[in-house]
Structures are given as C-alpha cells and as structure tokens.
Amino acid sequence: MDETSQKIIDAAMALIREKGYVATTTKEIAKTAGVNECTLFRKFQNKKEIVLQGVSQAQWRADITPDIFQNVVWELSADLQMFMKMYMDRMTPDFVNLSIGLRAPQLYEETAPFIQKVPQAFLTAFTDYLCRMQEMGKMPETDVDTLAVTFFSAAFGYTFLRASFGEAFVKSGQDAYIRKSVQLFLQGIGKTGE
C-alpha cells in the first residue's frame, strides 16, 4: 500500500470513529488526508472501499484474540480479573467508537465479520476456560455459554458506557470495577473467590 492510500485510509477511519460512517464525506476524508478529492478517487472507487481496506488492517482493530487470555493460573478470582483486564485494556474508547461507526447499514454486512471477531475471541477463550474449570472441579456445573455471555456483557457494558459517556455512568475506575464485578460474579455462581 502506498503512502497516499494509507493516509486516506487513516483519515477515513479516524473520521468514522469521531462522526460515524454516514456523516463522514469523501471531501472531509481528502482534506484530513491532505490530498484533493480527485486523488482519493484515483486510489479508491468510493468511501466504502476505503473503509473496507481499513478494517482489514490490524491497526484499525482491537488486538483481541483467544491467545491473549492464555495466562491463566486456574484460580477463578485471579483468572476472571485477567480476562476482564485484558479485554478492557485493548478495547479502548477509540475502538468502541470506531466499531459503532462501522455498523452503518450501508456497510455492516461487510464489516460485521471484523467487528464480531472481538466478542468471538473473548467468548471462545472464556467458555473453554469455564469448561476446564468445571472439569477440574473448581466451579459448579452450570450453563457455561450463558455464564460466558453474562460475564462478557459486564466487560462490554463498562467499555461501551465509558467510551460513550465518559464518567457520567461509570463512577468507579477500571481496576475497582473489575474487582467488584468479579466478586459479584463469584457470589452469583456460589463461589466466594480464592
């Protein structure tokens, strides 16, 4: 990819993160990239093509894969905190806002697979972890799929609220939220923590 094309992609993705796909125009993208609109159209057919090139680049996706959750110690409290922290450290407000911007109906069919990689990675790793903990007798037998979605929802909800509203709804800091959420989660499944 040449430097000019990359500047156009970076400008488009930054604008979509701030304003959303529909509100971002090719004129704004060109201006932000420091090129004229004719240059933009020589490099790309349309705005949608620019965005699809952007979502295929690692720098425009949160770095969340099942591999990042491999540092488990097989103790519920510590491991649950690790899962949440790893997710929250990577799913920054910028990535949340970009993900929201990429959900426009005009391109969601193409961007959905990229957006869905994050929850899929978390849920796959976490469900596998819960199954293993049940096999080892370290947690009660339960519906691990529902449990995994419930736990992921707590992490997702915090990051979404923080990205969307700052501290208006999120009163505690990330570390305190993680500790308290894990404690409540453990109480909910009948464990007191380790």
Side-chain angles (χ1 to χ4, degrees):
M1 169 122 354
D2 66 79
E3 185 179 343
T4 302
S5 296
Q6 190 61 53
K7 283 181 181 178
I8 293 167
I9 289 170
D10 293 345
M13 299 304 275
L15 287 165
I16 289 166
R17 180 180 61 213
E18 293 170 26
K19 303 171 62 168
Y21 179 79
V22 175
T24 298
T25 65
T26 54
K27 187 174 188 166
E28 288 176 300
I29 294 168
K31 182 179 177 185
T32 302
V35 300
N36 64 45
E37 206 170 2
C38 291
T39 301
L40 182 148
F41 286 114
R42 276 198 302 274
K43 300 286 184 181
F44 301 96
Q45 290 180 0
N46 52 40
K47 177 173 68 170
K48 185 175 184 177
E49 182 187 356
I50 299 168
V51 173
L52 294 179
Q53 289 276 335
V55 295
S56 70
Q57 296 179 347
Q59 70 197 43
W60 291 108
R61 293 193 308 268
D63 183 24
I64 298 178
T65 63
D67 297 344
I68 68 167
F69 303 112
Q70 298 304 312
N71 195 21
V72 295
V73 295
W74 305 109
E75 295 175 12
L76 271 173
S77 181
D79 291 340
L80 296 179
Q81 289 182 53
M82 179 275 297
F83 270 91
M84 261 196 181
K85 181 163 179 39
M86 296 300 280
Y87 172 82
M88 289 179 179
D89 285 351
R90 286 166 173 76
M91 187 48 80
T92 64
D94 282 346
F95 282 117
V96 171
N97 290 330
L98 180 59
S99 172
I100 292 167
L102 294 172
R103 293 169 198 251
Q106 297 87 337
L107 73 159
Y108 186 66
E109 186 174 321
E110 289 94 342
T111 59
F114 295 101
I115 295 168
Q116 292 170 3
K117 283 183 179 184
V118 169
Q120 285 171 344
F122 186 102
L123 291 169
T124 297
F126 194 61
T127 302
D128 290 347
Y129 168 79
L130 293 175
C131 288
R132 188 80 195 279
M133 288 295 280
Q134 283 183 347
E135 289 168 7
M136 295 182 341
K138 293 191 170 198
M139 65 173 283
E141 290 289 324
T142 188
D143 175 1
V144 293
D145 293 324
T146 301
L147 210 55
V149 170
T150 300
F151 190 75
F152 174 75
S153 296
F156 173 82
Y158 179 89
T159 57
F160 180 85
L161 288 173
R162 189 180 70 188
S164 300
F165 307 110
E167 295 183 12
F169 295 104
V170 179
K171 303 296 182 202
S172 59
Q174 179 177 307
D175 291 339
Y177 176 82
I178 291 171
R179 277 191 313 276
K180 290 175 187 175
S181 294
V182 166
Q183 185 179 42
L184 290 169
F185 187 80
L186 291 173
Q187 289 171 0
I189 63 169
K191 297 293 277 183
T192 56
E194 284 118 32

